[in-house]
Amino acid sequence: AYYLSGVTSSIYSKKDGAIPNLLKANHYAKKLEDVSLICESSIKLANVYIALNDLDNAEFYLKEAIKIATKKNALVELSRAYMILGEFYQNRKAYVLALNSYLKTDSIQVNHKLDKNTLGENLMHLGQLHQELKLFNQAEKNFKAAKVIFDDTQNKIGQMHAVFKLGDVYFLEKNYQKALSNYKKVYNFYEHNSFIGNFSEANLSIGRVYMEEKKYKKALQYFNKSLEIQKEGNYFHGQARSNIHIGDVYFILEEFENAKNHYLQALSLIHKNKLNSLKSSLYLKLAKTYNKTKNYNDAIKFYDLNEEIKDSISHLNENQEIFELETKHQTENKQKQIKL
């Protein structure tokens, strides 16, 4: 009950409710020596701490799950914990560590013939890793391999996730028609079920394609639909992103007051819900918008805020180009170990 309550709170971005309930679940699971629940509650705690940018606690609970699963030889839980640890490292741009974690999951799953769906999910993470490194051909192979697995297990959600991520690869390659085709498949699937977050993402992605094709009226239609869905579900991160995209369209159309209003709505959501990952790009968009309306004091203010954020993270990126080249080399070599 504590675990499910914590998961529900995390879904609705109620982190204050999620952490106490998940900690209680973790505590009682340890008393009962329930390895599965210890690991699942630890992994979910890590996910919440990642969302709060509390990386120390996130790493602690992931490594705790790995330690317990290793000690108890709980291979299913161990493979899953390594997969989430890979996601954690990937979010921190530690791509080599992420790759190593994903390969450990792959090795455990393949050698012990455990859960095919976890193997498919791990391939999705590998695809996302390759996508971030702009290795689009390899990303496409991973996503297609994952879809084959999800087809075999009749995992409809997994299938749609793979189709969606393939759409992202095509979008980044500027193959907008193939991207749109994939996004519409996802749209049609989620339009008739209760996964409103996924349906909203499909709307957002279709809007991005139309925006690139300069079909701004259609883009606004899908962005506004996404915003409406996100409001119904109280998904604050999605609301902020939808407002930003709507603002972008109005900025292109030179309707700067409309652009500013949507950017400010996004900013309010970001500040209230500590959505720090969206701050930098939004500050720059507001600076440009205020500059267009000749409100130069506010333009300078938001430009300076953007520079502060850039300065605070610059030390993390000083060697990023060299590191990514090294990772690409290791990725291509180690990919041979992966059995698709």
Side-chain angles (χ1 to χ4, degrees):
Y2 280 126
Y3 174 73
L4 292 174
S5 180
V7 170
T8 302
S9 295
S10 70
I11 289 171
Y12 287 95
S13 301
K14 297 176 180 177
K15 306 298 185 298
D16 292 341
I19 290 174
N21 283 306
L22 289 170
L23 285 171
K24 287 176 183 175
N26 192 262
H27 170 73
Y28 285 117
K30 286 174 181 175
K31 278 193 169 184
L32 295 166
E33 297 186 358
D34 184 332
V35 176
S36 178
L37 189 53
I38 293 170
C39 291
E40 285 303 316
S41 57
S42 293
I43 288 167
K44 185 56 68 174
L45 271 166
N47 285 335
V48 175
Y49 282 123
I50 288 169
L52 292 172
N53 205 33
D54 185 346
L55 301 181
D56 289 338
N57 267 321
E59 189 170 21
F60 170 81
Y61 280 102
L62 284 172
K63 290 187 173 179
E64 180 184 63
I66 288 170
K67 181 180 177 181
I68 292 169
T70 301
K71 183 178 179 181
K72 298 291 185 180
N73 199 32
L75 295 176
V76 172
E77 289 78 10
L78 182 62
S79 69
R80 180 160 177 77
Y82 271 124
M83 182 175 67
I84 304 303
L85 183 63
E87 185 180 0
F88 166 79
Y89 285 134
Q90 187 173 334
N91 287 337
R92 298 184 71 177
K93 311 295 184 188
Y95 294 124
V96 174
L97 293 172
L99 178 63
N100 286 336
S101 294
Y102 293 145
L103 288 173
K104 285 177 182 177
T105 292
D106 183 84
S107 176
I108 295 167
Q109 287 290 331
V110 172
N111 291 337
H112 298 278
K113 297 181 180 178
L114 298 175
D115 176 38
K116 283 188 175 181
N117 281 315
T118 300
L119 182 59
E121 190 179 347
N122 194 55
L123 282 166
M124 294 296 294
H125 284 298
L126 277 165
Q128 184 64 38
L129 175 64
H130 288 118
Q131 181 179 308
E132 285 186 27
L133 293 171
K134 298 181 172 58
L135 298 170
F136 297 130
N137 287 338
Q138 193 57 57
E140 185 176 353
K141 287 178 184 177
N142 288 133
F143 293 142
K144 284 182 175 179
K147 187 176 183 303
V148 169
I149 291 174
F150 294 138
D151 287 344
D152 183 50
T153 60
Q154 298 184 339
N155 182 340
K156 294 291 186 184
I157 303 301
Q159 290 170 20
M160 287 300 105
H161 189 201
V163 169
F164 183 83
K165 294 307 297 181
L166 281 165
D168 284 348
V169 172
Y170 300 142
F171 181 87
L172 291 168
E173 292 178 323
K174 301 187 186 303
N175 190 338
Y176 298 127
Q177 285 309 303
K178 285 185 76 172
L180 186 62
S181 174
N182 276 43
Y183 291 148
K184 285 195 170 179
K185 286 177 186 176
V186 177
Y187 177 98
N188 291 333
F189 176 79
Y190 285 116
E191 186 178 17
H192 303 295
N193 61 49
S194 59
F195 292 89
I196 60 173
N198 294 339
F199 184 48
S200 172
E201 284 299 315
N203 277 276
L204 210 56
S205 296
I206 291 171
R208 286 166 57 222
V209 173
Y210 283 130
M211 188 173 170
E212 290 295 329
E213 294 181 334
K214 296 181 170 54
K215 298 175 181 176
Y216 299 122
K217 186 175 180 181
K218 280 191 171 182
L220 280 174
Q221 174 189 335
Y222 283 97
F223 290 151
N224 278 306
K225 181 65 176 176
S226 174
L227 179 59
E228 177 187 330
I229 296 166
Q230 297 284 2
K231 284 181 176 178
E232 288 176 8
N234 282 325
Y235 297 127
F236 304 122
H237 192 279
Q239 288 179 49
R241 288 171 58 228
S242 296
N243 272 301
I244 290 170
H245 282 300
I246 294 167
D248 289 345
V249 175
Y250 283 127
F251 186 91
I252 292 169
L253 295 173
E254 298 186 352
E255 296 183 26
F256 299 120
E257 281 300 318
N258 281 332
K260 181 188 73 174
N261 288 338
H262 281 281
Y263 288 152
L264 288 175
Q265 287 179 51
L267 186 64
S268 176
L269 288 161
I270 287 168
H271 284 159
K272 285 179 182 177
N273 299 284
K274 299 179 181 179
L275 307 174
N276 296 328
S277 63
L278 298 175
K279 276 184 180 179
S280 180
S281 63
L282 182 56
Y283 285 156
L284 191 58
K285 290 173 190 291
L286 278 163
K288 290 179 178 179
T289 304
Y290 279 119
N291 186 58
K292 289 290 185 180
T293 59
K294 299 182 179 179
N295 191 334
Y296 300 121
N297 287 336
D298 282 330
I300 292 169
K301 180 182 81 173
F302 281 105
Y303 179 79
D304 287 344
L305 286 169
N306 177 61
E307 289 298 303
E308 284 177 19
I309 290 179
K310 284 169 62 179
D311 289 342
S312 70
I313 63 173
S314 63
H315 69 283
L316 298 175
N317 299 317
E318 286 174 355
N319 299 314
Q320 191 64 34
E321 288 185 15
I322 296 172
F323 185 62
E324 287 190 13
L325 286 171
E326 176 192 347
T327 307
K328 285 183 183 181
H329 175 70
Q330 292 197 34
T331 298
E332 288 162 356
N333 288 337
K334 290 191 177 184
Q335 187 63 25
K336 296 175 184 176
Q337 302 173 32
I338 301 176
K339 301 172 185 178
L340 301 182

